[in-house]
Amino acid sequence: MRRQYITNIGLLFAIGILSSVLVLPVSTVEGRVNQNKCISMYEKYKELGEQKFREKYKYKSDLHDCIKLYKNPDWYFVGKSKIDKNFEKIQSGFKNNNAKIDIKVTSTTLLGKEKYLVKFQACSEKSIQRPSFLIESKLEWFIAESGKSMQAGKCQSYHTQINSKDTAQIKIQYVSDLTEFTNIKYRKI
């Protein structure tokens, strides 16, 4: 009986030590917010930027607490650094692979609420096998890969669909190095 009592006390003591080690002090925001919800919304926050994110998700109960977490340099979750690196690369620009590519949107057609069919033309000084383009708007962005080659000195027409509030927000850029965009959606065009 005495031995079982000592074992139980030892077990309680061990649990007390482990729980004090495992329970790390967190700020009041991190303690009361559902961090899983914030983690799932983090990529949208990066895509939209703070202002647009606030407008789009203004009715979410944890919105302000999540934004406080996003701004905290010590806040981290598995996968956060990959998301951050992807957005840094997009913001810093693209390598052109020394080929001059002129891209012109030739038409946009409204297909439904905030959905457009975009037709564009890309002209190149050099031949390019399977060119890729970053298609972006405030609502969506993705890499569009073409199966059509671009011939030197000629223009090639392409089309794709994108979600956007209006046509002025739609941007298209040539991407020469796809290794920089490993965590972004890909579509065939």
Side-chain angles (χ1 to χ4, degrees), residues 20 22 37 40 68 101 134 189:
S20 67
L22 294 176
K37 190 182 290 185
S40 68
K68 286 179 186 176
I101 308 290
L134 175 67
I189 56 172

Side-chain angles (χ1 to χ4, degrees), residues 3-171:
R3 188 174 193 184
Q4 184 179 7
Y5 176 75
I6 292 173
T7 305
N8 287 344
I9 289 176
L11 183 61
L12 289 174
F13 180 72
I15 290 171
I17 290 175
L18 284 176
S19 66
S20 67
V21 171
L22 294 176
V23 177
L24 300 173
V26 294
S27 73
T28 57
V29 170
E30 291 169 338
R32 68 176 178 205
V33 70
N34 180 347
Q35 289 196 32
N36 287 335
K37 190 182 290 185
C38 294
I39 289 168
S40 68
M41 293 172 43
Y42 182 68
E43 190 167 359
K44 280 291 182 195
Y45 171 78
K46 293 296 278 189
E47 280 179 28
L48 298 172
E50 184 176 339
Q51 183 179 356
K52 296 287 184 191
F53 182 79
R54 281 183 187 276
E55 290 170 11
K56 184 170 183 173
Y57 297 105
K58 62 185 169 191
Y59 298 111
K60 294 276 188 185
S61 60
D62 292 334
L63 174 74
H64 300 293
D65 292 333
C66 287
I67 290 174
K68 286 179 186 176
L69 282 177
Y70 301 154
K71 290 182 173 184
N72 181 349
D74 296 326
W75 184 68
Y76 180 80
F77 63 90
V78 174
K80 181 179 185 292
S81 60
K82 284 185 179 182
I83 293 170
D84 291 341
K85 284 179 187 177
N86 247 356
F87 283 93
E88 286 172 18
K89 288 177 184 177
I90 288 172
Q91 297 301 323
S92 66
F94 308 100
K95 297 176 187 171
N96 279 349
N97 204 18
N98 297 327
K100 182 162 174 23
I101 308 290
D102 292 318
I103 299 172
K104 179 183 175 187
V105 175
T106 55
S107 71
T108 54
T109 306
L110 183 63
L111 298 176
K113 184 179 180 188
E114 298 180 346
K115 188 168 193 112
Y116 288 90
L117 173 66
V118 179
K119 294 181 181 179
F120 64 98
Q121 202 172 50
C123 306
S124 176
E125 299 172 339
K126 296 182 179 180
S127 293
I128 300 174
Q129 296 294 321
R130 300 177 53 110
S132 297
F133 305 93
L134 175 67
I135 316 284
E136 62 181 318
S137 74
K138 302 266 185 201
L139 299 179
E140 175 181 40
W141 56 282
F142 58 90
I143 296 292
E145 288 184 303
S146 173
K148 299 178 184 177
S149 299
M150 290 179 63
Q151 296 179 1
K154 299 210 174 188
C155 297
Q156 183 67 48
S157 295
Y158 303 96
H159 66 276
T160 189
Q161 294 180 13
I162 187 166
N163 295 314
S164 181
K165 293 226 181 252
D166 62 55
T167 58
Q169 295 177 351
I170 300 170
K171 296 178 182 153

